[in-house]
Amino acid sequence: MTARLEQLEPPDILSAEFARDPYAAYRLLRDEFPLVWHDAMQTYVISRYDDVQRAFKEPVFTSENYAWQLEPVHGRTILQMEGREHSMHRALVAPAFRGKALQEQFGPTIRRNSRELVDAFRADGQVDLVDAFATRFPINVIVDMLGLPRSDHARFHAWYTSIMGFLGNLAGDEAVAAEGLRTKDEFEQYMIPAIRERRANPGDDLLSTLCAAEIDGESMSDEEIKAFCSLLLTAGGETTDKAVTSLMANLVAHPAQLEAVRHDRSLIPAAFAETLRWSPPVHMIMRQPSEDVELSGGIVEAGRTVTCLMGAANRDDRRFDRPEVFDVLRADLDGSRAFSAAADHLAFCLGRHFCVGALLSLFEIEVGVNDLLDAMTDIRFADGAPPPEAGVFTRAPSSLHLQFTPAAEERP
């Protein structure tokens, strides 16, 4: 080891300094500490693109860590399943989230929710986009897709906030953990009767689709459907919530790219894909190898938890040209596969555990950003500068105060 490295310390991903600016820490980790043990979290931390890609794609890296990480608050979900069990459950839920079926069955629900939220502030000339739109849009959509009462939007938003607090509780705050477990009980008490009622009286909603799904005589139990709905609430809500916020903040911070997207809406998926690379909603996901594995920097022993820093890997200059630059026209990010298991970015994982709701998120982003750009012209930061990001496990601006000129309202 060189004298210079002997003087360096690996960044602590639980430190306040890291929370303020993880990107500087990511560079140091990638270059000098590609594999580091974090004692407080009892996990190895990896940060290079090739290593994180391997952790997502190679079968030796399992998701057994979710038994202690997710199961306490969600129940047992598809994320911690492997092999035939995982394939079967993915086949049961995936059809509802494919492009054509998604747009035809749930397109009107998604469009209605976006338009309602935008209409509430479009004449004001100013908005906190996080509070007024980003945190509410995906949760309202999920509630309506499930066919549950719209009067329960606020209740689901509170549950979503509590569960995300539990999942992001890397420091182990006991009050946050207890609140998450109370939410699990409340959610179960709400959902199990709703699932049983929908089995008896099916409709054309997502909950009915999940209840009726069957392959080779296998279907999901009430508990499994409840767990999937809990997972959908957070995984589907958090990614879209933070993606909308970050995408709009990124575009407003780059006016030429904002205007390019405004005038060519077919660029919205590219802007979304670049946002997923440059400022992903989820910055870290864990895996657990079933046998010893050699990665950059050393060996990870079987059964040890590995924290994969997607936020670092997505800015690895070993993989991307000018990785610190936000560019919706980036040549090394293939838009044709950006929302598939073969994506270049790592924000939705890769391989067998690629996010089943990626196309739902894309559709929501396309609808939402189109509506926002239709409603607002001359968009600028109210404080004159981009807001800081917040969060460690998931990350985006906690508020996004924008000023704008209301656009003339056009109804089809």
Side-chain angles (χ1 to χ4, degrees), residues 397-408:
S398 57
S399 62
L400 181 56
H401 294 280
L402 300 175
Q403 293 180 337
F404 60 92
T405 301

Side-chain angles (χ1 to χ4, degrees), residues 276-353:
L276 290 173
R277 184 200 68 82
W278 197 67
S279 51
V282 181
H283 274 233
M284 56 184 72
I285 282 179
M286 293 181 176
R287 289 290 185 264
Q288 184 174 314
S290 58
E291 59 187 59
D292 290 0
V293 180
E294 183 174 2
L295 296 172
S296 300
I299 302 291
V300 174
E301 301 88 359
R304 291 289 197 180
T305 301
V306 179
T307 297
C308 308
L309 297 182
M310 297 109 78
N314 277 340
R315 293 198 183 193
D316 191 342
D317 59 9
R318 298 163 187 80
R319 173 60 181 79
F320 295 103
D321 181 44
R322 301 178 305 128
E324 304 297 333
V325 175
F326 179 83
D327 181 4
V328 301
L329 300 179
R330 174 173 292 278
D332 51 7
L333 197 61
D334 185 349
S336 68
R337 59 182 189 177
F339 304 96
S340 75
D344 296 311
H345 66 82
L346 304 176
F348 284 147
C349 296
L350 296 174
R352 67 196 185 281
H353 283 293

